[in-house]
Amino acid sequence: MSESPLTSSVSKGCFVFKSASKKRKRHVGVGDDDNGSDRFRICQKLWETVQMNTEAIQDQLNKKVLDSLAEFIKKHGLGCSSDVWRQRASEIPTAALMLGVNVPDHAMTFRSLCNLLQDSVTPFVVSVHAKECAAVKLLIQKVLEQLMGRGVSVDEEQEDDTALLQRTQCTISALCQLQDCYQENLTNSDLPQSLPVVVIFKDFEAFNSQVLQDFILICSRYTQELPFIFIFGIATSPSAIQHRLPHSVSSLLCIEVFHSLSCTQHLASVFDKLILKSQFPFKLSSRVIQVLVGIFLYHDFSVQNFVKGLQFSMLEHFNSQPLSVLCCQKQEALLSAKTLSKQNVERIRHLPSFMRYVETQEPQEQVQLLTNDEHVKEVCQKLLKNLHKYHKNYYPILQCLHSLTSSLPKFPLGKHIRELHVSCIEKNLWETEEYDSALQLLRILAKDELVAALRKCAEILKSASTKRMQNVLQQLEDFIGRLEALEGVSSEGSSGNGIISGKMEYQRTDLFQLQKTLLEKESRRTKRMNPFEVLRSQVMEFIDSLVREYLTPAELQPLNEVCYYSSSGVLRQRLNVTPRTSIQAALSHPFYYLQNESLKTDTGTISSAAPDLCIVFKLHLECGRLINLYDWLEAYVTVMSAAEDQDTDSEECGKFDSLKHARFIQAVSEMEFLGFVKSTKQKTDHVARLTWGGC
């Protein structure tokens, strides 16, 4: 406690003055050292790789449903004149495209769909949003704008003949005339003479139901002159059509449902074909993966937002880690290791993984690593080679283990490969109970099932490029040959248990029978095993040795910090923010957002130059649970009077005019809109405060 002329109070109290804060540790940025440009170049290259690969993955996953939609439109668009496919002439063929609730990902799907239809089916393709079509007139106008390739909107204040003519053209009749003119140009063309008009409703559930009804009724009257085809982008279920359209309108639609792949399958493909590839040098730690997947599962199911989180992790890693210049392909990384600066060599010595590596070396080698910079560069090249070799051997064995365990009951090691990957990089997998359970289940596989599982592993290992993986493949093929060479071993008898056999799909979830089988196996352990059981045991021991050798945690690898991003707290703070905290910070400290020097104030004071909302917000923090509106207004007027340089002791100070009253009412309304106060029935001239804490 201390006395100060800056604090004066009628009542007694304690005033605490914080000492000047210490300077924060300087954050190393991209441009703060000599390899900043190289780090930026590598990060930009990886960014483009992520963007290109994710788009290619989504196009590949959506190819089947998009091709089906194209065939649907071709069939109905070309057959519209014969009316063979229609029950009535007024029916409009409609495709209900079930996309799921991952709304941010829909834009790329619709963009690919529009390009496909315009290239292979018809040039008349229109896509509309609900927010742009609040009325039927606006919807028809939007359709004509996209088909004619120019705007047809008109200023309402224009009253000349041109404006009137443009307004009269916003009709379906004008669209029929447009198509007739286009058909005349196709007389000598190979394209069909009757091209359909495809209207895509991107967010069907968001459209006003009355607008949809009127538009469908209008289009149904022009089906003979103009072949319409609708595509409804639905995020929930096909029943949304019946909920938004009455039977009299839905009966005018000939609906066929199309399902796209789920967002979880899309995420699994991104992991399998991008993140879990040794060719992609940037890696994520287990906690970072859990943060990104948690945001995906509990917020929006958006793979695009997941990719944005991945790209933000890359930016943060290359900005905060100067040694990330070594995070690139093998040859480029080795070249960068040769040209490391003295500052970066010293940073390598301070890496936790490198310090553990030094502790395992001989005393003479430790002295060289701590004193000789050139020797550190040579060792760094060797360690980077080992790190790249570790990744090349890690992912094939990971895929093999997932292939073996993904079909087991209850998925002991996880249904998706990312779950198995997280378990492997954060701890020794072979020390977990889940791994023991999976190995016990694999030890009771029947012959046919074991051979089929090993064949899948062999197919995975054929794409591996290292010599060690090729040796593993030869050993695996040798086991497969020896298993197939066994004679007189049936599917029923080869398991030795009778639980995982040819009827495995019917007995897989019978946990009581499984427990009984395992107990019988333990009781017969002392009995003599047949040749198949001996060979099966050898196969399991071989797989266990591969897991222990190649699926070691990534943090045990020297120099893993150069390519693994592990700041999960920073990532959670940036991606999983709390809006209320951000709003309170902006209202309490407007200077940091508006960058206005006049808004700088001491702690606990209120600047009269601040926006009205900030002043009202700070004043409400000094009140209790119920706030008297008149007292609140008087305090606001007092602060505003200080801005007008009025004498605080004069009679004019504190008086408010209609302008100040109106500004105060607007600020209180904004406070209520933001959720800081609400009206209360306890006292009519009070509002209830919804926050805690003070200035």
Side-chain angles (χ1 to χ4, degrees):
M1 292 186 296
S2 62
E3 296 181 359
S4 173
L6 297 177
T7 57
S8 60
S9 176
V10 177
S11 61
K12 295 181 180 180
C14 298
F15 301 92
V16 180
F17 294 89
K18 296 182 179 179
S19 59
S21 58
K22 296 180 180 179
K23 293 183 179 180
R24 294 184 178 180
K25 186 178 180 180
R26 186 168 176 264
H27 184 71
V28 179
V30 171
D32 293 338
D33 57 340
D34 51 355
N35 60 14
S37 59
D38 293 335
R39 289 152 57 193
F40 177 77
R41 175 182 55 81
I42 297 171
C43 181
Q44 189 176 29
K45 183 179 179 180
L46 289 177
W47 183 293
E48 294 173 355
T49 301
V50 171
Q51 197 70 30
M52 180 180 61
N53 288 351
T54 50
E55 291 180 0
I57 291 171
Q58 184 163 11
D59 290 341
Q60 183 179 0
L61 294 177
N62 291 332
K63 185 178 186 304
K64 184 176 181 180
V65 65
L66 295 183
D67 291 344
S68 301
L69 281 170
E71 290 298 325
F72 170 82
I73 294 173
K74 285 181 181 179
K75 177 179 66 174
H76 293 294
L78 299 179
C80 60
S81 59
S82 62
D83 288 337
V84 174
W85 53 272
R86 295 185 183 178
Q87 297 179 0
R88 290 198 307 252
S90 60
E91 282 188 344
I92 301 174
T94 303
L97 180 58
M98 311 307 301
L99 294 171
V101 296
N102 50 330
V103 178
D105 297 343
H106 296 174
M108 187 181 296
T109 302
F110 284 120
R111 185 166 61 248
S112 302
L113 177 60
C114 291
N115 294 335
L116 176 63
L117 296 181
Q118 290 176 346
D119 294 340
S120 60
V121 182
T122 173
F124 300 112
V125 180
V126 180
S127 59
V128 291
H129 275 291
K131 62 182 180 181
E132 303 170 341
C133 308
V136 179
K137 180 180 178 181
L138 295 176
L139 177 56
I140 298 176
Q141 178 178 316
K142 198 67 181 178
V143 171
L144 287 173
E145 283 182 0
Q146 295 190 33
L147 291 178
M148 297 175 67
R150 60 182 177 87
V152 296
S153 60
V154 180
D155 189 356
E156 295 295 337
E157 297 180 357
Q158 295 180 357
E159 296 296 338
D160 55 358
D161 297 337
T162 304
L164 181 61
L165 178 62
Q166 289 181 347
R167 281 197 294 269
T168 58
Q169 290 178 350
C170 295
T171 61
I172 301 296
S173 301
L175 182 58
C176 295
Q177 296 175 4
L178 175 66
Q179 206 224 22
D180 291 339
C181 296
Y182 188 83
Q183 298 299 338
E184 293 177 0
N185 299 329
L186 295 178
T187 305
N188 299 325
S189 176
D190 296 334
L191 294 174
Q193 296 299 312
S194 180
L195 293 176
V197 176
V198 181
V199 182
I200 302 175
F201 299 85
K202 293 184 176 180
D203 45 354
F204 175 79
E205 290 96 336
F207 274 86
N208 183 283
S209 60
Q210 189 62 45
V211 172
L212 287 174
Q213 295 175 34
D214 295 343
F215 184 74
I216 293 172
L217 289 172
I218 293 172
C219 293
S220 65
R221 298 178 182 271
Y222 289 88
T223 53
Q224 297 298 327
E225 297 85 359
L226 197 61
F228 281 101
I229 296 179
F230 295 157
I231 297 178
F232 293 160
I234 301 176
T236 54
S237 66
S239 61
I241 299 177
Q242 281 72 29
H243 293 161
R244 303 197 61 78
L245 301 177
H247 177 71
S248 58
V249 177
S250 62
S251 60
L252 300 176
L253 305 176
C254 181
I255 302 174
E256 186 172 343
V257 180
F258 297 85
H259 292 273
S260 64
L261 290 178
S262 65
C263 53
T264 54
Q265 292 175 305
H266 188 183
L267 181 64
S269 298
V270 171
F271 260 91
D272 190 27
K273 299 179 181 179
L274 178 63
I275 297 178
L276 297 183
K277 286 290 184 180
S278 59
Q279 293 80 5
F280 187 63
F282 178 71
K283 308 299 178 183
L284 302 174
S285 68
S286 59
R287 292 186 178 180
V288 171
I289 293 177
Q290 290 171 352
V291 170
L292 291 176
V293 175
I295 294 175
F296 171 84
L297 294 176
Y298 298 108
H299 285 78
D300 52 10
F301 291 100
S302 172
V303 178
Q304 291 300 313
N305 289 344
F306 178 88
V307 172
K308 290 179 182 178
L310 174 63
Q311 292 173 333
F312 175 80
S313 302
M314 291 168 47
L315 287 175
E316 183 67 22
H317 177 70
F318 282 93
N319 181 63
S320 60
Q321 176 58 268
L323 295 175
S324 58
V325 69
L326 304 175
C327 178
C328 46
Q329 295 296 334
K330 181 179 178 180
Q331 298 301 327
E332 189 175 357
L334 296 180
L335 182 62
S336 300
K338 291 181 181 179
T339 59
L340 283 174
S341 63
K342 182 177 181 62
Q343 185 180 14
N344 282 335
V345 170
E346 193 63 29
R347 286 170 177 154
I348 288 178
R349 290 193 177 105
H350 287 83
L351 290 178
S353 62
F354 189 81
M355 294 172 66
R356 290 194 297 267
Y357 171 78
V358 172
E359 292 174 355
T360 60
Q361 303 302 308
E362 297 294 333
Q364 295 180 353
E365 179 67 14
Q366 291 182 4
V367 173
Q368 289 292 319
L369 291 173
L370 296 177
T371 58
N372 191 339
D373 290 351
E374 294 300 324
H375 184 66
V376 171
K377 293 179 182 180
E378 295 177 0
V379 173
C380 182
Q381 295 178 49
K382 183 186 71 172
L383 295 179
L384 286 175
K385 286 183 180 180
N386 294 337
L387 185 62
H388 284 276
K389 189 182 298 183
Y390 162 77
H391 288 140
K392 286 186 176 181
N393 293 332
Y394 172 88
Y395 293 114
I397 300 300
L398 180 73
Q399 292 176 339
C400 289
L401 182 60
H402 177 258
S403 176
L404 289 171
T405 60
S406 59
S407 60
L408 295 177
K410 298 296 182 181
F411 310 108
L413 294 181
K415 182 178 181 180
H416 301 288
I417 192 171
R418 68 169 182 271
E419 300 172 0
L420 179 59
H421 172 63
V422 169
S423 300
C424 291
I425 61 177
E426 69 178 358
K427 56 191 173 184
N428 292 329
L429 181 66
W430 53 89
E431 296 178 355
T432 61
E433 296 180 0
E434 294 80 7
Y435 179 76
D436 292 338
S437 301
L439 215 59
Q440 287 183 5
L441 292 173
L442 290 174
R443 293 182 188 277
I444 58 177
L445 284 176
K447 174 187 171 182
D448 296 340
E449 294 164 350
L450 181 59
V451 171
L454 294 181
R455 286 190 179 279
K456 291 181 181 179
C457 295
E459 291 296 325
I460 295 173
L461 293 174
K462 286 180 180 178
S463 59
S465 58
T466 61
K467 294 182 179 180
R468 180 57 182 143
M469 290 297 102
Q470 295 302 317
N471 294 335
V472 173
L473 175 61
Q474 293 180 0
Q475 292 178 277
L476 204 59
E477 290 178 344
D478 179 62
F479 279 120
I480 294 174
R482 292 167 60 185
L483 285 170
E484 292 178 340
L486 291 176
E487 297 181 357
V489 182
S490 63
S491 296
E492 291 290 337
S494 61
S495 65
N497 314 64
I499 175 63
I500 301 183
S501 60
K503 300 180 180 180
M504 181 181 176
E505 59 272 19
Y506 301 105
Q507 302 176 357
R508 184 170 293 165
T509 58
D510 191 349
L511 299 180
F512 175 77
Q513 183 67 24
L514 180 62
Q515 183 180 11
K516 180 181 177 182
T517 302
L518 293 176
L519 292 176
E520 292 177 355
K521 183 178 182 299
E522 291 293 332
S523 64
R524 294 202 306 263
R525 176 171 291 181
T526 56
K527 293 184 179 180
R528 184 177 180 180
M529 294 188 295
N530 58 40
F532 167 74
E533 292 175 340
V534 173
L535 187 55
R536 181 177 58 188
S537 178
Q538 294 176 359
V539 171
M540 292 302 108
E541 291 177 358
F542 174 68
I543 293 174
D544 182 54
S545 65
L546 293 178
V547 171
R548 294 173 182 268
E549 183 177 359
Y550 297 108
L551 298 187
T552 55
E555 63 179 11
L556 299 181
Q557 303 299 318
L559 301 185
N560 69 85
E561 293 89 349
V562 302
C563 59
Y564 278 87
Y565 177 70
S566 58
S567 301
S568 58
V570 175
L571 187 66
R572 185 183 291 107
Q573 184 181 2
R574 296 291 188 270
L575 300 182
N576 196 14
V577 298
T578 54
R580 178 179 289 275
T581 304
S582 302
I583 294 173
Q584 287 178 330
L587 296 179
S588 301
H589 309 285
F591 164 74
Y592 298 105
Y593 291 81
L594 302 179
Q595 294 297 315
N596 189 345
E597 293 293 333
S598 62
L599 298 179
K600 278 188 174 181
T601 59
D602 297 331
T603 304
T605 60
I606 302 175
S607 172
S608 56
D612 294 339
L613 181 59
C614 297
I615 296 174
V616 171
F617 173 78
K618 285 195 172 184
L619 289 173
H620 109 285
L621 292 177
E622 300 176 356
C623 303
R625 189 180 68 86
L626 293 179
I627 306 175
N628 188 305
L629 287 173
Y630 186 80
D631 295 341
W632 199 3
L633 174 60
E634 282 190 330
Y636 167 77
V637 172
T638 302
V639 175
M640 296 305 298
S641 299
E644 300 172 358
D645 296 331
Q646 295 184 5
D647 186 4
T648 56
D649 297 330
S650 64
E651 295 181 357
E652 296 296 329
C653 181
K655 292 185 178 180
F656 53 90
D657 53 15
S658 58
L659 179 59
K660 293 178 181 178
H661 194 185
R663 291 170 60 181
F664 173 76
I665 292 175
Q666 182 180 4
V668 173
S669 299
E670 292 173 352
M671 288 278 292
E672 186 175 6
F673 176 76
L674 293 174
F676 291 106
V677 295
K678 72 172 183 178
S679 58
T680 176
K681 296 181 180 179
Q682 295 181 7
K683 294 183 180 180
T684 56
D685 58 343
H686 286 64
V687 292
R689 178 179 169 184
L690 302 178
T691 58
W692 291 268
C695 288

